[in-house]
Amino acid sequence: GTGVAMSAAEKKKLKAQKKREAKKQEEEAQKAEAEARNAAAAGSKKEPVDTDPSGSKLLTKSAEEDLKETRKIAVKLQTTCGLDPNSHKTAYWAFSVEGEERPLLQLKSLVRLWELGGRRRLFYKLVPCFAHFCSTVSLEEAAGSNSSASSSSSLSGALRSLVLSQVSQISGAKVSSEADVRREGKRAAEDLKAAVVKSPEGAMTEIVAAMRARCAAGSRGASEEGALLEAAGKAVQGKTVTIKEAKRALAFLKETEGWKEAADKFLAACHKRFPHADAFRDPSDVLKIVRVTGGQELSED
């Protein structure tokens, strides 16, 4: 329009500029198209609707459904966390619900606990489960399906032989009858008790395991277990014991038949060791502190 002739270099530069602008416009168009597609796709997706926002349906589950779900979780723990003894301990109790026992799966859990405990008969996570199994498993061979003698704990001949073999392996003793199985469960519980009582600084977790094992083996509780209670009293004063361990021990004493009377004495020992822990205070004392201080901790000075 100006009548001024452009040099070849200027023409080349102008052509390159127009090419860049055209490419930029094309990229912007493609970007806008992609954004439009994504927006359309997002609009077509429906947000999942929570059909039970209050969780009320969970409360209507039957005990059978709860047990089935618990066992699924237990099996998953054994599969994904198989090197953790707690996985197999949890699974053992999941398969030990009264009337719904699964002896083969109980036995599998016991064997894995034994192996993970270094094949030690007195591994403290094994003994309560082992004592329980030995005191509850029935070695009667399964009767016919129409017989009133048939029960969930009755075993086939092959499973009966497997139980005897594995109990013998774990206990290190010859086992050939139900009476022998019962004997080995009681022996394991008694030997763990002797070991933790003899220890100068018994670990609280092992002491509680011995208590549980003794209960499973038929102990009548605190009236027969003075030595264990004394060991627990000493352990709670130790430097290594934690509030969590003491709380677990106290919960066991409170909730287990035959041990409730010992709970008050142990509670006093826990309060002495952890004077500022609300878990070990008398409820009336906690209420008194709230009233006097407005919820602020009282000073020890």
Side-chain angles (χ1 to χ4, degrees), residues 38-56:
N38 292 337
S44 65
K45 291 181 180 178
K46 294 183 179 180
E47 290 292 326
V49 178
D50 186 354
T51 58
D52 185 28
S54 64
S56 57

Side-chain angles (χ1 to χ4, degrees), residues 150-224:
S150 179
S151 71
S152 61
S153 59
S154 297
L155 309 183
S156 67
L159 184 51
R160 183 179 187 277
S161 298
L162 182 63
V163 167
L164 292 173
S165 171
Q166 296 296 343
V167 170
S168 177
Q169 185 178 42
I170 292 172
S171 66
K174 185 178 180 180
V175 176
S176 58
S177 67
E178 187 174 291
D180 291 343
V181 172
R182 300 280 189 266
R183 179 199 68 216
E184 289 309 310
K186 290 181 178 179
R187 185 168 75 93
E190 185 61 37
D191 288 352
L192 179 61
K193 171 187 174 180
V196 299
V197 167
K198 188 184 296 183
S199 175
E201 293 184 5
M204 183 62 72
T205 51
E206 295 184 8
I207 293 170
V208 175
M211 291 178 178
R212 292 186 186 280
R214 290 285 295 150
C215 284
S219 168
R220 288 191 294 273
S223 60
E224 293 183 358

Side-chain angles (χ1 to χ4, degrees), residues 121-136:
R121 181 176 70 92
L122 298 184
F123 177 41
Y124 76 97
K125 290 187 178 182
L126 164 68
V127 177
C129 302
F130 182 71
H132 175 269
F133 181 78
C134 290
S135 66
T136 57

Side-chain angles (χ1 to χ4, degrees), residues 212-283:
R212 292 186 186 280
R214 290 285 295 150
C215 284
S219 168
R220 288 191 294 273
S223 60
E224 293 183 358
E225 308 302 343
L228 277 176
L229 291 169
E230 184 179 348
K234 290 180 179 177
V236 81
Q237 300 304 325
K239 294 180 180 180
T240 59
V241 71
T242 64
I243 291 179
K244 184 177 180 179
E245 290 172 340
K247 283 175 67 176
R248 284 181 176 175
L250 181 61
F252 168 80
L253 293 174
K254 285 183 174 180
E255 297 167 5
T256 308
E257 185 178 355
W259 297 82
K260 294 182 180 70
E261 293 181 5
D264 289 340
K265 291 183 179 179
F266 186 73
L267 175 60
C270 290
H271 177 59
K272 183 178 179 181
R273 174 66 179 81
F274 302 106
H276 300 296
D278 288 343
F280 306 127
R281 280 189 175 131
D282 185 286

Side-chain angles (χ1 to χ4, degrees), residues 68-133:
K68 186 176 180 181
E69 188 66 24
T70 298
R71 287 178 168 175
K72 281 184 180 178
I73 294 171
V75 170
K76 190 170 184 178
L77 281 173
Q78 287 186 299
T79 304
T80 59
C81 309
L83 295 180
D84 185 348
N86 290 319
S87 297
H88 304 287
K89 186 175 74 169
T90 299
Y92 174 81
W93 293 114
F95 293 116
S96 300
V97 176
E98 188 174 355
E100 296 289 341
E101 296 91 344
R102 296 293 183 268
L104 183 59
L105 296 172
Q106 288 174 290
L107 197 59
K108 176 185 175 182
S109 301
L110 289 176
V111 171
R112 287 297 292 135
L113 273 170
W114 176 63
E115 291 173 343
L116 291 171
R119 301 199 166 200
R120 291 179 292 123
R121 181 176 70 92
L122 298 184
F123 177 41
Y124 76 97
K125 290 187 178 182
L126 164 68
V127 177
C129 302
F130 182 71
H132 175 269
F133 181 78

Side-chain angles (χ1 to χ4, degrees), residues 15-84:
K15 185 177 180 181
Q17 183 180 352
K18 288 181 178 180
K19 188 175 181 180
R20 286 196 298 271
E21 289 175 352
K23 185 177 180 181
K24 184 178 179 181
Q25 290 176 356
E26 184 181 356
E27 288 176 348
E28 288 176 349
Q30 289 176 348
K31 184 179 179 181
E33 185 181 351
E35 288 176 349
R37 283 198 305 267
N38 292 337
S44 65
K45 291 181 180 178
K46 294 183 179 180
E47 290 292 326
V49 178
D50 186 354
T51 58
D52 185 28
S54 64
S56 57
K57 289 183 180 179
L58 295 174
L59 299 177
T60 62
K61 279 190 174 183
S62 66
E64 185 178 348
E65 290 174 319
D66 285 340
L67 180 59
K68 186 176 180 181
E69 188 66 24
T70 298
R71 287 178 168 175
K72 281 184 180 178
I73 294 171
V75 170
K76 190 170 184 178
L77 281 173
Q78 287 186 299
T79 304
T80 59
C81 309
L83 295 180
D84 185 348

